[in-house]
Amino acid sequence: DTGTWALLGTNTFLGNVTCANGTLVVNNDKSLGAKTAVAAAGLTLGGSTTRGTLRAINDVTLSARYGVTLHSGGGRFIADEGTTLTVNGAIINRSATPTGTLVKEGLGTLVLGAANTFTTELHVAEGVVALAHANALVGSNGIRPCLHVSGTLNLGGNIVSTPVLRGAGGVV
């Protein structure tokens, strides 16, 4: 990763945000601007061969207006210890033949609160990923994401069908 950029406080810009390489640090739900309508690509993580990272240093809830697009290089969410990053916008793949992994790091919690259509791997490396939507791992066109759990995956009472579940000492 190359560099860190912090968007802190309340920002009023209306455009979309792309973190193609490196880390974007946010501390509240208005850090990524003032979205007034649903934007499928409100936040794009990754480039064609690089991984982009969104790091929450406080509790952050991204509304459904902030859709997240995973580019081929993949994306990473980091929730610091004691924090919760909630993503209520749909997470989708940028291309029809996706390759990038979605990684969750940090000792905090990532909450997936939308019907997500990404089909690549979800790697819970650290902390907790909690499913707050019945279709949080629904995938697209019959293809569901593979799960790699080293941290904790909290299904939240949801039934999840996945082609592959692997891990290294994680908890489901």
Side-chain angles (χ1 to χ4, degrees), residues 50-134:
T50 56
R51 180 172 291 153
T53 300
L54 180 69
R55 177 179 173 205
I57 58 173
N58 292 331
D59 289 341
V60 174
T61 298
L62 299 180
S63 76
R65 294 184 302 255
Y66 294 95
V68 178
T69 299
L70 296 178
H71 203 305
S72 300
R76 176 180 12 226
F77 290 112
I78 298 175
D80 285 354
E81 185 172 8
T83 68
T84 299
L85 171 58
T86 302
V87 179
N88 287 322
I91 302 172
I92 65 172
N93 294 114
R94 181 171 184 260
S95 72
T97 55
T99 57
T101 297
L102 177 59
V103 178
K104 160 49 179 84
E105 293 180 349
L107 297 177
T109 300
L110 170 64
V111 177
L112 300 179
N116 299 305
T117 60
F118 72 95
T119 56
T120 54
E121 180 178 16
L122 170 61
H123 181 187
V124 185
E126 296 177 307
V128 176
V129 171
L131 307 184
H133 192 287

Side-chain angles (χ1 to χ4, degrees), residues 12-35:
T12 58
F13 65 89
L14 298 175
N16 296 331
V17 175
T18 297
C19 182
N21 191 14
T23 301
L24 178 60
V25 177
V26 296
N27 68 346
N28 70 69
D29 63 332
K30 301 292 187 232
S31 294
L32 294 175
K35 293 279 182 258

